[in-house]
Structures are given as structure tokens and as C-alpha cells.
Amino acid sequence: MDGFTIAGRTFTSRLMVGTGKYPSLPVMRDALAASGAEIVTVAVRRVNLEAREESLLAYINLDKYFLLPNTAGCHTADEAVRTARLARAAGLSNWVKLEVIPDDGTLLPDPVATVEAAEILVNEGFVVLPYTTDDHTVARRLLDVGCATIMPFGSAIGTGQGLPNPERLRRIIELVDGRVPVVIDAGIGAPSDASLAMELGADAVLVNTAIAKATNPVQMARAMALGVQAGRFSYLAGRIPRTEVASPSSPETGLIAKESAPTTAKA
Amino acid sequence: MKITVNGKSLEVSANSTVQQLVEQLDLGHERIAVEHNQHILEPGDFATATIEEGDTLEIVRFVGGG
């Protein structure tokens, strides 16, 4: 079994899926099933006292999925710590996907505040999975304070721009060196992006918008699962190095035709 | 008496507990977390936490997110 382990808990699906932005909760439920995900993320929000809203958890089988609350929407370390504590008080687990994102419209994380909040939460016994930039020094700081994963972005949340800087992610993966799982979170737009993330050696990817906003979310969830699997197999199998010079796949000897003819490459 | 729940003013009967408030709001079957005057309650404490005039509560739950 090719699993990976976060804080002592082993998972076999390397695709984590978010639960936001689906056209409906039944579609979300079916997409989660099609994705094969074991870890699903949720947000923490005030109960709406004015209008009764359908319960998300009515559509998520907690025997089947491990719920990972996030601190999305938190602009400061203090807000994120408070939200994480509330999520834990809801009684599901002490895990939190830590996000500290300034209110500047970029949805890019505040790495300094993220490290600060991570340290507080780790000291309070949380299993902290921090959403971070693709900066390897920040990744090292997060490792130093005891985070359970490193979750660098591929590109900005919801952009679907994929992995424009794969070398930066590769550097983080090398730096972390298997001490904790590296999960590529955000920016993935298509299964090919998820494949690339896995080919780089990431342990898992987290996808929300690319599935939820696809024309057919359920089919895309399946496609994303296959993309992750293909990329993982490719990583394990060991891809060939890139070379400058072409080399034929077919034998260059034993050709019919004239002895004097020059050898032509490739067929 | 008047209290503030999720930023809104709300009328509850005197000496209510958090558990009674949760039931009044029909949230008894929801997985929620409650912060009472900035203090986060364990679910087991709802029944004993008494609400007083002017108290501030935050009640949160899980919603879709990434």
C-alpha cells in the first residue's frame, strides 16, 4: 500500500478535496465520492441566525472522511488561532489547516503571521497543516516550529494557473526531505497540474475550485484522482532525464533498403 | 434579557444556559462551537454555562471551504 502519514495517521488517497463553491451540496457529496479523497477541508463560520441554512455535515459521512477545518478568512495570527480553537471545540479533532491571509485581495499567505500562529497552535497540541508560499525558508521555519505538513501553493487560490514555478516546489520538497508530507495546495486547475505536482515528489495535493467549478464537478473529481495517481506512479517509476539530443526509439540497424542510404532517426 | 449572538441582539429569558440558547436557536443537532464572552466552551459545558444580561456569544459551525 502506497500511503502517506500525517501525525501518525496514514492515508491512502493522495488527493485532498475542499468542500466550497459547489453548485449544490448533493453535487459536492458525489464529487467527494468520485475523488476517492479521505481528507476533506471545511471552513468555520458563524451560524446564520436570520435564515436557516442546510447543514454541510449532513452531506459528509464522517465515518468515511476525515474532516480538516481551515482558518480561511483569517487576516491575522490571532484570528487564525481563535478560529482553530473554535474548530477544535466543535469536537471533531485537533487538526487544523492553518491559513493566514491578509485582506489585500491576493489570497497570498502572510508567511510571518502563519509561522507565528503555527507555533502557538503546535504548543497547544494542534496538528497544524499550514498553507504557505513556495518559499523554502518559510517552509523551514514551519518545520522548525513543528508543523505536521508543509502546504505550499502551486499558484494563487482559485486561479487555476497550475504550477508556474515547479522548481521552487521541488526545492521545498528537497528541503523537507520526507520529514513531513508536502501537500501542494491551491492553484491546481486541471489533472495535468495535479500530475505535475506528484511527479515533483509531493506527497499529496489539495484541490477545491478546479473540481467545484468544473462544468461537471463529479467527472472532474474522478479525473483529478487519476491525475494524482498517474503523477504518483510516474514519480515512483522514475521519469527519464530531459536531454538536448534526440535518440531513436527503434533500432538503427537491420533496415531494409539500400546499404548506401543514410540512417534516418526515429520512426 | 438582551444578549448579543453572532453580532446580533437577541432576547432570551433570564438565567438561560448556553444549552437552552442552542435549543432555542434550533441548533441542538448541529455540530457547533460556542464562544461565551471570548471564552471557548467545551460541548460538555453548554448545560452549566449560564448566560447573563449583555453577554456576547459566538456560535460557529462548519461550512464548505477549501
Side-chain angles (χ1 to χ4, degrees):
Chain A
M1 184 196 72
D2 174 39
F4 73 108
T5 302
I6 305 174
R9 195 177 171 119
T10 300
F11 300 94
T12 51
S13 172
R14 291 174 181 273
L15 174 60
M16 306 181 185
V17 176
T19 56
K21 299 189 194 170
Y22 288 85
S24 71
L25 288 174
V27 170
M28 180 212 71
R29 176 196 58 209
D30 295 348
L32 291 189
S35 75
E38 292 166 287
I39 299 176
V40 300
T41 58
V42 294
V44 178
R45 289 292 179 274
R46 278 175 164 175
V47 170
N48 185 349
L49 301 177
E50 251 104 71
R52 197 141 183 86
E53 287 167 359
E54 232 185 335
S55 169
L56 174 77
L57 294 194
Y59 290 86
I60 300 176
N61 179 353
L62 295 180
D63 295 329
K64 189 171 167 196
Y65 300 106
F66 185 82
L67 222 58
L68 177 62
N70 67 32
T71 63
C74 294
H75 305 317
T76 65
D78 281 350
E79 287 171 20
V81 168
R82 185 179 174 202
T83 301
R85 289 172 180 156
L86 274 167
R88 179 166 68 176
L92 286 175
S93 76
N94 59 344
W95 290 38
V96 64
K97 182 193 162 196
L98 177 62
E99 298 183 32
V100 187
I101 299 176
D103 189 15
D104 62 4
T106 64
L107 290 182
L108 299 174
D110 176 338
V112 177
T114 303
V115 172
E116 190 188 326
E119 186 162 24
I120 294 168
L121 292 169
V122 168
N123 287 334
E124 290 185 12
F126 280 88
V127 173
V128 180
L129 295 79
Y131 170 60
T132 181
T133 66
D134 57 9
D135 185 291
H136 70 286
T137 301
V138 178
R140 183 164 53 228
R141 299 273 185 240
L142 291 166
L143 262 186
D144 288 347
V145 301
C147 289
T149 60
I150 303 295
M151 300 177 73
F153 59 57
S155 46
I157 295 172
T159 61
Q161 290 184 12
L163 277 54
N165 297 302
E167 289 312 315
R168 292 176 65 93
L169 296 173
R170 197 193 305 275
R171 196 174 302 140
I172 289 179
I173 290 164
E174 283 171 8
L175 168 91
V176 172
D177 195 25
R179 279 173 285 184
V180 298
V182 174
V183 182
I184 309 302
D185 175 14
I188 286 173
S192 50
D193 300 328
S195 273
L196 175 57
M198 298 307 296
E199 284 178 34
L200 293 172
D203 294 278
V205 300
L206 198 164
V207 182
N208 189 346
T209 308
I211 294 174
K213 289 295 191 187
T215 306
N216 182 337
V218 178
Q219 192 166 34
M220 186 57 82
R222 178 78 183 129
M224 213 54 89
L226 293 171
V228 167
Q229 200 169 51
R232 176 63 184 172
F233 284 176
S234 168
Y235 173 74
L236 293 174
R239 62 152 293 156
I240 59 164
R242 288 184 169 83
T243 60
E244 297 285 322
V245 183
S247 68
S249 301
S250 306
E252 292 176 88
T253 57
L255 292 160
I256 54 168
K258 331 107 211 181
E259 292 295 328
S260 56
T263 307
T264 48
K266 183 96 172 141
Chain B
M1 63 182 185
K2 270 203 179 341
I3 59 169
T4 304
V5 181
N6 291 358
K8 312 259 185 245
S9 186
L10 202 72
E11 191 71 34
V12 295
S13 43
N15 301 317
S16 288
T17 64
V18 169
Q19 183 66 40
Q20 285 164 333
L21 171 68
V22 165
E23 279 159 20
Q24 181 184 329
L25 295 171
D26 199 17
L27 294 169
H29 300 289
E30 282 277 347
R31 189 172 285 274
I32 54 166
V34 179
E35 195 185 70
H36 182 197
N37 294 336
Q38 306 274 320
H39 170 72
I40 295 172
L41 300 178
E42 295 301 319
D45 295 339
F46 290 1
T48 51
T50 311
I51 303 171
E52 287 173 30
E53 173 90 35
D55 279 4
T56 301
L57 292 104
E58 291 286 340
I59 306 178
V60 300
R61 67 171 184 171
F62 295 123
V63 301

Coordinates of all heavy atoms in Angstrom, one line a residue, chain A residues 127-158:
Chain A
V127 N -2.5 19.6 15.6 CA -1.8 19.1 14.4 C -2.0 20.2 13.3 O -3.1 20.4 12.9 CB -2.4 17.8 13.9 CG1 -1.7 17.3 12.6 CG2 -2.1 16.7 15.0
V128 N -0.9 20.9 13.0 CA -1.0 22.0 12.1 C -0.6 21.8 10.7 O 0.6 21.3 10.5 CB -0.2 23.2 12.7 CG1 -0.3 24.5 11.8 CG2 -0.7 23.5 14.1
L129 N -1.4 22.0 9.8 CA -1.1 21.8 8.3 C -1.2 23.2 7.7 O -2.3 23.7 7.4 CB -2.2 20.9 7.7 CG -2.2 19.4 8.1 CD1 -2.9 19.3 9.4 CD2 -2.8 18.6 7.1
P130 N 0.0 23.9 7.6 CA -0.1 25.3 7.2 C 0.0 25.5 5.7 O 0.8 24.9 4.9 CB 1.2 25.9 7.8 CG 2.1 24.7 7.8 CD 1.3 23.5 7.9
Y131 N -0.9 26.3 5.2 CA -0.9 26.8 3.8 C 0.1 27.9 3.7 O 0.1 28.8 4.5 CB -2.3 27.4 3.5 CG -2.4 28.1 2.2 CD1 -2.0 27.5 1.0 CD2 -2.7 29.5 2.1 CE1 -2.1 28.2 -0.2 CE2 -2.8 30.2 0.9 CZ -2.5 29.5 -0.3 OH -2.5 30.2 -1.4
T132 N 1.1 27.8 2.8 CA 2.2 28.7 2.8 C 2.6 29.0 1.3 O 2.0 28.5 0.4 CB 3.4 28.1 3.6 OG1 4.5 29.0 3.5 CG2 3.9 26.8 3.0
T133 N 3.5 29.9 1.2 CA 4.0 30.3 -0.1 C 5.0 29.2 -0.6 O 5.2 28.2 0.1 CB 4.9 31.6 0.0 OG1 6.0 31.3 0.8 CG2 4.0 32.7 0.6
D134 N 5.6 29.4 -1.8 CA 6.6 28.4 -2.2 C 8.0 28.8 -1.9 O 8.9 28.3 -2.5 CB 6.4 28.1 -3.7 CG 6.5 29.4 -4.6 OD1 6.9 30.4 -4.0 OD2 6.3 29.3 -5.8
D135 N 8.1 29.5 -0.8 CA 9.4 30.0 -0.3 C 10.0 28.9 0.6 O 9.4 28.6 1.6 CB 9.3 31.3 0.4 CG 10.6 31.9 0.8 OD1 11.3 31.3 1.7 OD2 11.0 32.9 0.2
H136 N 11.2 28.5 0.3 CA 11.7 27.3 1.1 C 12.2 27.7 2.5 O 12.2 26.9 3.4 CB 12.9 26.6 0.3 CG 14.1 27.5 0.3 ND1 14.3 28.5 -0.6 CD2 15.3 27.4 0.9 CE1 15.4 29.1 -0.4 NE2 16.1 28.4 0.5
T137 N 12.5 29.0 2.7 CA 12.9 29.4 4.0 C 11.7 29.5 5.0 O 11.8 29.1 6.1 CB 13.6 30.8 4.0 OG1 14.7 30.8 3.1 CG2 14.0 31.3 5.4
V138 N 10.6 29.9 4.4 CA 9.3 29.8 5.2 C 9.0 28.4 5.5 O 8.6 28.1 6.7 CB 8.2 30.5 4.4 CG1 6.9 30.4 5.3 CG2 8.5 32.0 4.1
A139 N 9.2 27.5 4.6 CA 8.9 26.1 4.8 C 9.8 25.6 6.0 O 9.3 24.8 6.8 CB 9.2 25.3 3.5
R140 N 11.0 26.0 6.0 CA 11.9 25.6 7.0 C 11.5 26.1 8.4 O 11.5 25.4 9.4 CB 13.4 26.0 6.8 CG 14.3 25.5 7.9 CD 15.8 25.6 7.4 NE 16.1 26.9 7.0 CZ 16.7 27.2 5.8 NH1 17.1 26.3 5.1 NH2 17.0 28.5 5.5
R141 N 11.0 27.3 8.4 CA 10.5 27.9 9.7 C 9.3 27.1 10.2 O 9.2 26.8 11.4 CB 10.1 29.4 9.5 CG 11.2 30.3 9.1 CD 12.0 30.8 10.3 NE 13.0 31.7 9.9 CZ 14.3 31.6 10.1 NH1 14.8 30.6 10.7 NH2 15.1 32.5 9.6
L142 N 8.4 26.7 9.3 CA 7.2 26.0 9.6 C 7.6 24.6 10.2 O 7.0 24.1 11.1 CB 6.3 25.9 8.4 CG 5.6 27.2 8.1 CD1 5.0 27.1 6.7 CD2 4.6 27.7 9.1
L143 N 8.6 24.0 9.5 CA 9.1 22.7 10.0 C 9.7 22.9 11.4 O 9.4 22.1 12.3 CB 10.3 22.3 9.1 CG 10.0 21.3 8.0 CD1 11.3 20.9 7.4 CD2 9.3 20.0 8.5
D144 N 10.5 24.0 11.6 CA 11.1 24.2 12.9 C 10.1 24.3 14.0 O 10.4 23.9 15.1 CB 12.0 25.5 12.8 CG 13.2 25.3 12.0 OD1 13.6 24.2 11.7 OD2 13.9 26.3 11.7
V145 N 9.0 24.9 13.8 CA 8.0 25.1 14.9 C 7.1 23.8 15.0 O 6.3 23.8 15.9 CB 7.1 26.3 14.7 CG1 8.0 27.6 14.7 CG2 6.2 26.3 13.5
G146 N 7.3 22.8 14.2 CA 6.6 21.5 14.4 C 5.4 21.3 13.7 O 4.5 20.5 14.1
C147 N 5.3 21.9 12.5 CA 4.1 21.6 11.7 C 4.1 20.2 11.2 O 5.1 19.6 11.0 CB 4.0 22.6 10.5 SG 3.6 24.3 11.0
A148 N 2.9 19.7 10.9 CA 2.7 18.3 10.5 C 2.8 18.0 9.0 O 2.9 16.9 8.6 CB 1.3 17.8 11.1
T149 N 2.6 19.1 8.3 CA 2.8 19.1 6.8 C 3.4 20.4 6.4 O 3.3 21.4 7.2 CB 1.5 18.9 6.0 OG1 0.6 20.0 6.3 CG2 0.8 17.6 6.3
I150 N 3.8 20.5 5.2 CA 4.0 21.8 4.6 C 3.1 21.9 3.3 O 3.1 20.9 2.6 CB 5.5 22.0 4.2 CG1 6.5 21.8 5.4 CG2 5.7 23.3 3.5 CD1 6.3 22.8 6.5
M151 N 2.4 22.9 3.2 CA 1.4 23.0 2.1 C 1.6 24.3 1.3 O 0.9 25.2 1.4 CB 0.0 23.0 2.7 CG -0.3 21.7 3.4 SD -2.0 21.6 4.2 CE -3.0 21.4 2.8
P152 N 2.6 24.2 0.4 CA 2.9 25.4 -0.4 C 1.9 25.5 -1.6 O 1.4 24.5 -2.0 CB 4.3 25.1 -1.0 CG 4.4 23.6 -1.0 CD 3.6 23.1 0.2
F153 N 1.6 26.7 -2.0 CA 0.7 26.9 -3.1 C 1.4 26.5 -4.5 O 2.6 26.7 -4.6 CB 0.1 28.3 -3.2 CG 1.1 29.4 -3.3 CD1 2.0 29.5 -4.3 CD2 1.1 30.5 -2.4 CE1 2.9 30.6 -4.5 CE2 1.9 31.5 -2.5 CZ 2.9 31.6 -3.5
G154 N 0.6 26.1 -5.4 CA 1.1 26.0 -6.8 C 1.0 27.4 -7.4 O 2.0 27.9 -8.0
S155 N -0.2 28.0 -7.3 CA -0.4 29.4 -7.6 C -1.5 29.9 -6.8 O -2.0 29.2 -5.9 CB -0.7 29.5 -9.1 OG -1.6 28.6 -9.6
A156 N -1.9 31.1 -6.9 CA -2.9 31.7 -6.0 C -4.2 31.0 -6.0 O -4.7 30.4 -7.0 CB -3.1 33.2 -6.4
I157 N -4.9 31.0 -4.8 CA -6.1 30.3 -4.6 C -7.2 30.6 -5.7 O -7.4 31.8 -6.0 CB -6.7 30.6 -3.2 CG1 -5.8 30.1 -2.1 CG2 -8.1 30.0 -3.1 CD1 -6.2 30.6 -0.7
G158 N -7.7 29.6 -6.3 CA -8.9 29.8 -7.2 C -8.5 30.3 -8.6 O -9.3 30.5 -9.5

